Amino acid sequence: MAWDISEHAAYAGGLATRVAELRRRFPDALVTCDVEGAFAGPELICWNARPEEIWVWVFEPDDAAGVRRAQSRLEQLLAAPHELTSVVDKSVVAGPNDVFEKGSVTASSYIDVDGRIEVRNGPGDGIQLFRAFDIEGFDDTAERVAINLALGAAYKADRDSRKALGFRYDRPSPRFREDDERH
């Protein structure tokens, strides 16, 4: 199964809204994210909101298969977090979903005039689910601009946090999701 452009817009837009929420709530926190959906690790990492923990979230489509994948990926990540702990020696835990002000956020798609996106808390901490849907005749230019601004801010937060963490590369891991059925 591959993501179509609307699903990718839902993923990227949903991720950007969650990054914005984390940055608003924890302005000094280092937050990295995978806006392109190119790597196997967690899509969202908050490195220092709590001094003793690294919070991670995985993002998957909002359907039964996505929930199963998210649970499996998160379980595997928490069982073997060496890529993260090699950067910062802290416990890696499922990101607490209650740090997000709203359990579900709906916004305009940044690519489709009639498109809407939604990101919501999954069935447990560390899991975020996204979806794309259409509302015929819907057009909220201001919301679409806000999502584009959030995407730009997510890229900037990611770049600045990676620099502060001392990453030598633009991304934390060279492992692409070649075998990932989502792409």
Side-chain angles (χ1 to χ4, degrees):
M1 165 179 69
W3 287 350
D4 67 21
I5 190 72
S6 293
E7 289 169 314
H8 183 76
Y11 162 78
L15 179 61
T17 62
R18 292 311 200 196
V19 169
E21 287 183 78
L22 281 174
R23 299 288 295 177
R24 207 171 18 257
R25 184 144 184 212
F26 305 100
D28 296 326
L30 299 176
V31 177
T32 57
C33 58
D34 181 13
V35 177
E36 288 91 15
F39 296 93
E43 285 77 25
L44 178 57
I45 305 169
C46 186
W47 296 88
N48 62 341
R50 286 203 184 124
E52 67 283 352
E53 296 176 334
I54 300 170
W55 294 341
V56 297
W57 289 268
V58 295
F59 283 65
E60 289 287 345
D62 192 356
D63 57 28
V67 169
R68 285 190 303 276
R69 262 193 317 276
Q71 291 168 328
S72 175
R73 289 181 56 226
L74 184 61
E75 183 179 300
Q76 290 172 4
L77 176 74
L78 296 176
H82 58 276
E83 277 194 32
L84 301 175
T85 56
S86 68
V87 176
V88 177
D89 189 22
K90 296 181 182 183
S91 296
V92 177
V93 300
N97 286 341
D98 64 0
V99 300
F100 300 118
E101 190 174 307
K102 296 179 179 179
S104 173
V105 176
T106 303
S108 288
S109 169
Y110 67 94
I111 58 155
D112 184 2
V113 173
D114 292 330
R116 302 285 288 158
I117 62 168
E118 179 185 28
V119 61
R120 69 178 186 87
N121 292 339
D125 282 345
I127 297 174
Q128 294 290 300
L129 304 171
F130 62 88
R131 70 184 181 108
F133 60 99
D134 289 331
I135 298 178
E136 192 145 334
F138 179 84
D139 182 12
D140 188 336
T141 302
E143 241 184 47
R144 206 166 33 264
V145 168
I147 286 293
N148 274 298
L149 292 173
L151 281 165
Y155 277 111
K156 182 179 182 334
D158 180 67
R159 185 193 66 230
D160 293 349
S161 293
R162 288 178 192 283
K163 185 176 180 182
L165 289 163
F167 287 136
R168 292 176 49 198
Y169 304 102
D170 290 339
R171 296 285 172 226
S173 171
R175 294 183 308 140
F176 286 88
R177 294 183 174 161
E178 293 169 355
D179 61 338
D180 192 332
E181 63 189 51
R182 296 181 300 163
H183 301 297

